[in-house]
Amino acid sequence: MQTIEHPKDAKAITHLRDSKYIVVLGSLMSGLGKGIVTASVARLLNDQGLKVTAIKFDGYLNIDCGTMNPYRHGEVFVLDDGTECDMDFGTYERFLNQGMSGTNSITGGKLFKLIIEKERTGKFLGRDVQFIPHLTDEIKSWVKGVGAGKDVVLVEVGGTVGDLENGYFIEAMRQLSSETREVTFIQLTYVPMISTGEYKTKPTQHATRLLQSMGVQPQIILVRADGCLPKDSKEKISQFCNIPLEAVYDDPDIESIYELPLMLEKQDFTAYLMKLMGMKKDGLNLVQWKSLVEKIKNPRHAVKIGIVGKYTKLHDAYVSIREAFIHAGAALDTKVEIEWIESEGFENDPESVSVLKDYDGILVPGGFGSRGIEGKINAIKYVRENKIPYFGICLGMQMMVVEYARNVCGLKGANSTEFDENTKSPVIDLLPEQRAIKDKGATMRLGAWKCELAKGTRAFEAYGKQSIEERHRHRYEVNNDYLETLEKSGIVLSGRSGHIVEMVEWKEPHGFGIGLQAHPEYKSRLEEPAPLFVAFVKAALERKKK
Ligand code: GLN
């Protein structure tokens, strides 16, 4: 059973220099991009030389996102330590270019589990355990613990002000503010434009009043809108929401999320925020970031990549893949146009796979469950036979092996035991340590694992080194009983972690094809694109040139 790791220094905070806290709250509705705001602010402060980290609070009663369906909730993001968390953590890591850990994620589930465990072990003996002070104390101590040794902690509160499930967390932040005087509240709001062409600030005025009724006065209001607000609208927000005019900032629609730090900086945001925190802005060099954003917006080349999977209607299920393509694209001055292709179509009508010839590369991403599996295998066969560059991630790698076993090694009916328990050729099988596991939460092979790459392989060339680490989330692996058969038929086993095959490749007469058990998209950053994404986009560019 997973234990919840409370930050170690939480109790020893009194002797530490106080950190500053910035609490980001969303009002009126979800989907305003709180995660991107939090990450952008963190990035701007980080570039001031401050030690910055971020916390995300999610009100749901799950311990983590591990058991959530990405179709409903968006991608499950995985950290080095194996934490399965909200996709906002991907945004934090990509903007901050810094890894996070499980303690950065606070959920309602974790908090209640902790409190009840404490109660059962007699930690509150004699007391009735209450939201205030017990739960709020727990939250403050957790937040301070994460802040130990950091200058600034960004705290993003999931959900919207007024939700039942984050009220106690906002109360804890109010208490933290009155106790430390080191908290800055940023309220993100939405200002709609009505058909007369006017921006309407009244919903924001009400939303701020609701927040004030909870004892919290925002010091900065960030306005999501389709454009920048005219001065009179900002004056209204300033007057009715009780904040200076200069504290109202625009967060308009932008082409790329990576533009937001630049957009804020254009409005001199960092200087104002630093002043609020009792510090002075001291230079800010966004030149490199700016040039990467420029490459995202005005690239010289373009390629079209097809992603064959399920969930393709909900692109949030594959956010990190989309972002990793943006990063690889920026590095190669290339726009990577992505098209999502439902694999089920190739199952019902196998001939239809020929549409894949119009793509410069095909990727099959990770996934669970049997829907659309045969369609993926049909697609991979077509791609291999027509030398279209192929990239298989986790399930995409496993299906690459199944396809090869069936169609090149001649193992008819080869499969993964995830989809056919009784297959005669189980080329993909459960990891031995997974066999006895019954619990669903945090029980997969998770987090960063070392992998040794074989010299002379495409993988080695892409990473430029032998020993690498990528993040995992799976229960199945290539069955070692079939390695000899696979290798004899030409598959290259290019990466291993102990006895586990982590990477496979096609070689001549087949074209570019790499599959890996891990998810390299999780560690891709704008400033450090994932090497295999770069190699794949390069191969796609080459195919296009031909
Ligand atoms: N379902 C497969 C497994 O558990 C693949 C998982 C994935 O693609 N992340 O091994």
Side-chain angles (χ1 to χ4, degrees):
M1 190 64 199
Q2 182 192 23
T3 51
I4 294 164
E5 201 192 331
H6 201 286
K8 299 207 173 35
D9 309 345
K11 293 285 172 243
I13 40 156
T14 38
H15 67 277
L16 291 166
R17 176 169 55 103
D18 273 340
S19 313
K20 315 263 181 201
Y21 306 93
I22 299 172
V23 179
V24 180
L25 298 157
S27 46
L28 291 173
M29 62 196 210
S30 61
L32 295 180
K34 247 184 301 132
I36 296 159
V37 165
T38 306
S40 299
V41 174
R43 174 66 197 218
L44 289 168
L45 296 175
N46 188 69
D47 284 1
Q48 284 287 286
L50 296 170
K51 280 201 201 119
V52 183
T53 190
I55 289 175
K56 169 89 193 282
F57 168 74
D58 282 296
Y60 45 70
L61 297 178
N62 306 60
I63 299 286
D64 56 39
C65 289
T67 56
M68 292 187 200
N69 182 347
Y71 188 65
R72 285 177 61 93
H73 189 77
E75 178 183 78
V76 178
F77 192 77
V78 178
L79 305 178
D80 273 345
D81 66 9
T83 300
E84 297 169 283
C85 52
D86 193 272
M87 58 185 193
D88 281 321
F89 283 88
T91 314
Y92 300 165
E93 289 198 343
R94 291 188 276 268
F95 275 70
L96 267 178
N97 201 5
Q98 173 186 308
M100 300 270 140
S101 82
T103 53
N104 296 78
S105 161
I106 307 181
T107 65
K110 282 187 186 177
L111 285 171
F112 289 121
K113 186 165 183 278
L114 257 176
I115 284 285
I116 289 170
E117 275 168 5
K118 280 194 174 175
E119 188 273 336
R120 290 288 83 185
T121 50
K123 297 272 169 13
F124 305 109
L125 223 48
R127 279 291 312 250
D128 49 334
V129 186
Q130 298 191 306
F131 274 69
I132 303 169
H134 301 106
L135 195 60
T136 47
D137 280 354
E138 196 65 54
I139 293 168
K140 285 181 284 178
S141 131
W142 191 316
V143 168
K144 286 178 177 177
V146 172
K150 301 282 182 192
D151 299 309
V152 185
V153 186
L154 272 292
V155 184
E156 178 187 346
V157 182
T160 306
V161 173
D163 291 350
L164 180 69
E165 56 182 24
N166 61 20
Y168 63 86
F169 192 90
I170 297 175
E171 164 60 15
M173 293 302 97
R174 184 199 66 75
Q175 292 176 15
L176 185 70
S177 165
S178 77
E179 287 161 18
T180 65
R181 306 273 155 207
E182 297 290 7
V183 182
T184 305
F185 288 95
I186 298 182
Q187 180 192 352
L188 181 61
T189 185
Y190 179 67
V191 174
M193 180 190 268
I194 56 167
S195 55
T196 56
E198 285 169 278
Y199 281 112
K200 289 296 183 188
T201 64
K202 188 77 83 179
T204 295
Q205 296 171 32
H206 285 296
T208 308
R209 228 167 269 165
L210 177 62
L211 188 56
Q212 287 162 342
S213 74
M214 298 165 83
V216 171
Q217 169 63 48
Q219 284 104 319
I220 289 180
I221 292 184
L222 275 184
V223 180
R224 280 287 295 117
D226 57 7
C228 292
L229 287 199
K231 190 156 177 245
D232 62 332
S233 300
K234 284 188 175 164
E235 277 168 354
K236 271 196 193 137
I237 293 178
S238 159
Q239 186 179 16
F240 289 103
C241 301
N242 206 19
I243 67 169
L245 183 61
E246 57 176 336
V248 185
Y249 288 87
D250 289 308
D251 179 3
D253 289 348
I254 38 182
E255 224 178 295
S256 159
I257 56 168
Y258 298 101
E259 252 182 292
L260 188 58
L262 305 174
M263 177 59 78
L264 290 174
E265 215 22 50
K266 247 193 216 158
Q267 304 170 72
D268 233 353
F269 177 85
T270 313
Y272 187 72
L273 177 61
M274 296 285 283
K275 197 169 81 187
L276 282 180
M277 293 192 297
M279 296 187 269
K280 221 173 155 256
K281 183 181 159 192
D282 183 13
L284 188 58
N285 187 350
L286 292 170
V287 175
Q288 204 211 336
W289 189 268
K290 207 172 177 173
S291 86
L292 288 168
V293 170
E294 192 47 39
K295 291 230 164 73
I296 296 173
K297 288 171 72 178
N298 299 306
R300 295 227 313 268
H301 317 282
V303 288
K304 191 162 87 173
I305 302 292
I307 300 188
V308 178
K310 62 177 184 178
Y311 300 143
T312 55
K313 281 194 196 76
L314 188 88
H315 302 169
D316 269 1
Y318 297 120
V319 179
S320 294
I321 289 184
R322 193 186 63 202
E323 296 305 309
F325 275 126
I326 292 175
H327 307 158
L332 298 168
D333 211 348
T334 299
K335 177 173 177 54
V336 182
E337 200 189 312
I338 293 175
E339 280 184 21
W340 309 85
I341 307 165
E342 274 293 339
S343 61
E344 258 182 322
F346 301 144
E347 222 159 275
N348 310 331
D349 175 12
E351 298 301 310
S352 64
V353 284
S354 63
V355 297
L356 300 181
K357 69 174 179 312
D358 297 333
Y359 294 87
D360 304 310
I362 294 295
L363 179 142
V364 174
F368 297 82
S370 58
R371 182 160 72 78
I373 283 295
E374 289 300 320
K376 287 177 193 169
I377 298 171
N378 288 345
I380 298 170
K381 178 170 187 274
Y382 181 86
V383 162
R384 181 178 51 74
E385 289 175 347
N386 290 279
K387 292 199 171 194
I388 300 168
Y390 176 72
F391 189 15
I393 295 180
C394 203
L395 181 67
M397 175 262 211
Q398 296 174 354
M399 292 309 102
M400 178 182 176
V401 172
V402 168
E403 188 280 322
Y404 205 87
R406 285 186 191 178
N407 301 320
V408 184
C409 308
L411 299 172
K412 291 229 159 40
N415 214 331
S416 161
T417 51
E418 181 177 4
F419 312 120
D420 179 2
E421 265 184 89
N422 304 314
T423 171
K424 275 207 207 92
S425 306
V427 288
I428 305 292
D429 200 6
L430 261 188
L431 286 151
E433 58 270 33
Q434 286 287 328
R435 290 187 200 281
I437 291 174
K438 294 275 177 295
D439 277 354
K440 291 283 184 240
T443 55
M444 286 189 239
R445 179 170 182 245
L446 287 167
W449 290 87
K450 270 215 168 60
C451 167
E452 297 299 320
L453 301 178
K455 289 208 174 105
T457 59
R458 290 189 196 278
F460 189 94
E461 191 190 330
Y463 283 92
K465 58 183 178 186
Q466 193 165 351
S467 193
I468 59 134
E469 255 181 41
E470 295 288 4
R471 298 177 185 173
H472 295 246
R473 184 170 189 259
H474 61 116
R475 295 188 198 281
Y476 292 80
E477 62 166 334
V478 180
N479 184 343
N480 285 349
D481 293 346
Y482 289 88
L483 297 188
E484 218 185 299
T485 313
L486 288 164
E487 260 188 317
K488 263 196 197 140
S489 301
I491 247 192
V492 180
L493 308 174
S494 50
R496 291 182 199 244
S497 175
H499 66 279
I500 301 177
V501 171
E502 300 278 19
M503 282 197 209
V504 298
E505 296 178 13
W506 292 333
K507 67 176 181 203
E508 284 298 325
H510 314 292
F512 179 99
I514 294 192
L516 82 165
Q517 197 55 86
H519 291 264
E521 68 273 25
Y522 289 143
K523 280 184 27 176
S524 183
R525 317 260 165 91
L526 182 56
E527 291 148 306
E528 271 175 56
L532 290 184
F533 275 84
V534 175
F536 176 55
V537 174
K538 259 191 205 158
L541 273 167
E542 271 159 34
R543 171 179 156 85
K544 198 180 172 190
K545 269 189 226 141
K546 278 183 192 161

